[in-house]
Amino acid sequence: NYNIVRHASTLWSLICRYRLEPEKELEEKIDMTIDYMLAKVVYDSYGRAFLYEEKDDEIKLGGCGIAVGALTEYMDVFQSDKYEEVCHDLGNGILSMMDQSTGEYYHVLNGDFTRKEEFRTVYYDGEATFALCRLYGLTKDPQWLQGAKKGVDHFIQEDYTRYKDHWVAYSMNEITKYVPDCE
């Protein structure tokens, strides 16, 4: 009954805790936790990566987003580029779940990469957009910022303020680091 999305989220919390109080034992636990998460990353035939939830045979947009968030946090804290390639691949997975004309995300795929559920929860949108912003901060590759902008445009068009979601807020805060006037 293990939930890999919650695993990724907890990983991020561990890394944030390490930032505040570095400890060798915690660093070892973080490395083991990352290894476990990365064992659950699957690739489609285009080389795009997704975090796979084995128990439900699902790929959740939010899981991909939070995995990127955790890995970029790790690379920032440990001053490493160790996970840049998998983050890039996960970012491509996120972009593949976005309608490029509207900025709307598709939320859940089956384990075979076929579509399962168009919308599950609003926080998946925020996690995915946050991840794209973090990828842009890491690489300065404009494709990530363009994707994040499309996501934010969708939030504005659909009045996501009504959801009062923390992940949407995190993504809005993150994008203002790179688009301060909210073009």
Side-chain angles (χ1 to χ4, degrees), residues 102 149-162 168 172 175 182-183:
T102 67
K149 285 180 181 181
K150 286 181 187 292
V152 166
D153 288 345
H154 178 71
F155 297 168
I156 293 167
Q157 182 176 344
E158 297 298 320
D159 188 22
Y160 270 41
T161 59
R162 65 190 159 142
V168 171
M172 295 300 288
I175 201 166
C182 296
E183 298 172 350

Side-chain angles (χ1 to χ4, degrees), residues 30-115:
I30 289 168
D31 289 338
M32 288 179 2
T33 305
I34 289 173
D35 290 345
Y36 182 85
M37 183 184 74
L38 291 178
K40 303 300 180 187
V41 171
V42 295
Y43 288 81
D44 69 8
S45 61
Y46 301 102
R48 300 175 299 205
F50 303 86
L51 189 60
Y52 176 63
E53 182 71 65
E54 194 170 356
K55 72 177 170 79
D56 297 323
D57 189 34
E58 289 182 337
I59 293 165
K60 299 172 186 168
L61 174 69
C64 298
I66 200 68
V68 170
L71 294 172
T72 56
E73 188 74 18
Y74 177 94
M75 290 186 288
D76 183 51
V77 168
F78 291 97
Q79 295 300 292
S80 166
D81 63 356
K82 184 175 184 179
Y83 300 111
E84 190 170 335
E85 185 175 337
V86 72
C87 283
H88 182 271
D89 297 341
L90 286 163
N92 283 327
I94 290 168
L95 289 178
S96 77
M97 295 175 80
M98 174 188 270
D99 181 322
Q100 294 299 312
S101 63
T102 67
E104 186 174 3
Y105 292 101
Y106 196 91
H107 283 199
V108 183
L109 304 176
N110 291 301
D112 65 359
F113 309 107
T114 58
R115 291 181 160 214

